[in-house]
């Protein structure tokens, strides 16, 4: 199988990192307006942290996909990031080869190292490619193509989907994870600042996301009706399912650390759009010495929902 993992990130092009903090798109991921300034070595621990914490939901999704496509020979993870889900797919489909595709070589290097640690390297490879150009050079068409929250970082999403379809084998399956619900960590009224903090953060984030989409190279507005979009590019929409991640309070140390990471990136990435009182509340929540902060609170949880849309290429 062809591999392409000798080149570093190329300036002025988009990169795709698979799972993302807090429902998949935002400055928490490091996808700022200047796509040439991302520090992948700094982002990598954050991406791994989230993907590993969210693994129970991805396991459910993979088990469900086994019912949709029982025995694929080749699986492509388009926008794989550090390969946490790529390796999970390799474990869930022991008869398949898996190719992780991403635009950032440092993340692909981590994916290869992870596959090696898990004993999957003999049927795991990587390709460095921008999803706007397709999935790069793989040896034969994919039987299952997984794209988790990577499509929305491509300016022309329909064109990218058309590229995915060209890379599918006849009868091949595309599993697209987009949308779902924002992640929640805190009750509406936390006793600090105005109630409804996370709802206001989400509103500012959605404005940011709209700007981010408009500034992508070749940006095209697209109604986020994912089943209709799958149909428009020639697939038969066969199923939609939403997977819940529910980590109730009291949280494990790992889950609490993720909440700190997620809120820190929201606070830093959306600071210009948040009002001063909400910024002050976030600063208190993130202060490890403040007993009202998330380091100490007993009511912190992680709750989110991720939606997967499945389309099948005609035989």
């Amino acid at each position: 199988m062809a591999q392409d993992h000798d080149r570093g990130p190329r300036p002025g092009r988009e990169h795709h990192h698979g799972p993302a903090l807090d429902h998949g798109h935002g400055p928490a991921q490091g996808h700022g307006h200047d796509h040439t300034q991302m520090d992948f070595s700094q982002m990598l621990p954050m991406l791994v942290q989230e993907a590993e914490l969210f693994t129970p939901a991805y396991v459910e999704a993979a088990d469900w996909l086994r019912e949709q496509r029982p025995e694929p020979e080749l699986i492509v993870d388009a926008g794989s990031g550090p390969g946490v889900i790529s390796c999970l797919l390799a474990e869930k489909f022991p008869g398949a080869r898996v190719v992780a595709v991403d635009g950032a070589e440092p993340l692909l290097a981590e994916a290869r190292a992870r596959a090696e640690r898990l004993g999957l390297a003999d049927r795991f490879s990587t390709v460095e490619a921008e999803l706007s150009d397709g999935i790069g050079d793989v040896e034969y068409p994919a039987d299952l193509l997984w794209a988790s929250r990577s499509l929305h970082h491509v300016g022309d999403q329909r064109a990218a989907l058309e590229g995915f379809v060209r890379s599918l084998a006849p009868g091949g399956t595309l599993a697209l994870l987009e949308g779902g619900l924002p992640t929640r960590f805190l009750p509406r009224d936390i006793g600090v600042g105005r109630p409804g903090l996370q709802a206001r953060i989400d509103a500012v984030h959605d404005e940011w996301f709209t700007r981010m989409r408009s500034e992508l190279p070749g940006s095209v507005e697209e109604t986020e009706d994912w089943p209709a979009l799958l149909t428009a590019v020639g697939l038969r929409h066969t199923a939609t399912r939403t997977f819940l991640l529910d980590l109730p309070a009291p949280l494990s140390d790992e889950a609490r650390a993720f909440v700190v990471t997620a809120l820190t990136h929201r606070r830093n990435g959306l600071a210009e759009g948040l009002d001063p009182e909400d910024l002050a509340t976030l600063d208190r929540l993130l202060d490890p010495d403040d007993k009202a902060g998330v380091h100490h609170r007993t009511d912190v949880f992680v709750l989110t929902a991720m939606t997967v849309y499945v389309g099948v290429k005609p035989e």
Side-chain angles (χ1 to χ4, degrees):
M1 180 161 306
Q3 299 188 40
D4 178 11
H5 47 72
D6 296 325
R7 293 170 292 161
R10 293 178 291 282
R13 307 189 73 178
E14 75 283 355
H15 302 279
H16 314 280
H17 302 130
L21 286 163
D22 201 357
H23 72 292
H25 36 72
Q29 228 181 325
H31 292 282
H33 300 310
D34 184 351
H35 294 267
T36 68
Q37 299 302 315
M38 290 179 284
D39 184 344
F40 299 116
S41 62
Q42 186 177 32
M43 289 173 59
L44 196 153
M46 173 183 69
L47 296 170
V48 171
Q49 179 188 39
E50 190 219 31
E52 290 183 342
L53 187 69
F54 282 36
T55 289
Y58 292 123
V59 166
E60 287 189 32
D63 287 339
W64 178 65
L65 286 175
R66 288 181 63 187
E67 300 172 7
Q68 312 294 315
R69 184 76 190 194
E71 296 182 351
E73 293 183 16
L74 176 65
I75 299 173
V76 172
D77 183 357
S80 63
V84 177
I85 303 175
S86 312
C87 289
L88 171 63
L89 292 171
E91 291 173 332
K92 286 293 183 178
F93 294 89
R97 296 189 61 82
V98 176
V99 180
V101 179
D102 201 278
E105 167 54 24
L107 300 181
L108 293 176
E110 173 62 22
R112 293 191 296 273
R114 186 180 192 89
E116 184 72 36
R117 291 195 302 271
L118 295 174
L120 303 169
D122 61 330
R123 52 189 183 87
F124 187 95
S125 59
T126 62
V127 169
E128 186 185 354
E130 305 296 345
L131 298 191
S132 56
D133 301 330
I135 61 170
D137 182 18
V138 294
E139 189 174 2
Y140 51 90
D143 302 299
L144 173 62
L145 194 153
W146 166 268
S148 174
R149 292 168 170 169
S150 53
L151 184 65
H152 62 245
H153 290 289
V154 181
D156 191 337
Q157 296 173 106
R158 185 181 299 241
L161 278 176
E162 290 170 344
F164 291 173
V165 172
R166 288 193 296 272
S167 299
L168 279 176
T173 298
L174 171 63
L176 179 69
L177 193 161
E178 288 286 353
L181 294 174
T183 306
R184 286 285 186 266
F185 308 122
L186 296 161
R188 184 190 67 87
D189 191 340
I190 59 174
V192 179
R194 286 189 296 141
L197 173 66
Q198 282 204 261
R200 292 191 298 278
I201 292 174
D202 288 337
V204 175
H205 166 268
D206 285 346
E207 293 177 0
W208 176 91
F209 181 73
T210 299
R211 293 194 303 272
M212 183 277 292
R213 284 277 321 145
S214 69
E215 294 173 7
L216 288 172
S219 178
V220 176
E221 290 188 12
E222 196 75 63
T223 300
E224 293 176 358
D225 182 346
W226 302 113
L229 200 53
L230 293 180
T231 301
V233 298
L235 298 177
R236 179 168 54 89
H237 173 237
T238 58
T240 297
R241 184 169 169 182
T242 296
F243 300 90
L244 185 71
L245 180 75
D246 181 13
L247 305 178
L251 287 180
S252 66
D253 290 343
E254 292 79 9
R256 190 178 295 272
F258 166 74
V259 173
V260 172
T261 299
L263 289 179
T264 298
H265 283 268
R266 279 289 186 256
R267 188 254 180 263
N268 294 340
L270 299 174
E272 292 182 1
L274 294 170
D275 69 39
E277 183 179 359
D278 285 343
L279 282 173
T281 299
L282 281 168
D283 287 340
R284 284 200 64 184
L285 287 171
L286 293 168
D287 183 350
D289 297 322
D290 194 322
K291 295 303 180 183
V294 294
H295 293 84
H296 305 284
R297 301 182 68 96
T298 59
D299 58 356
V300 182
F301 56 87
V302 178
L303 179 64
T304 195
M306 303 181 290
T307 303
V308 179
Y309 305 90
V310 173
V312 175
K313 186 174 181 177
E315 295 278 357

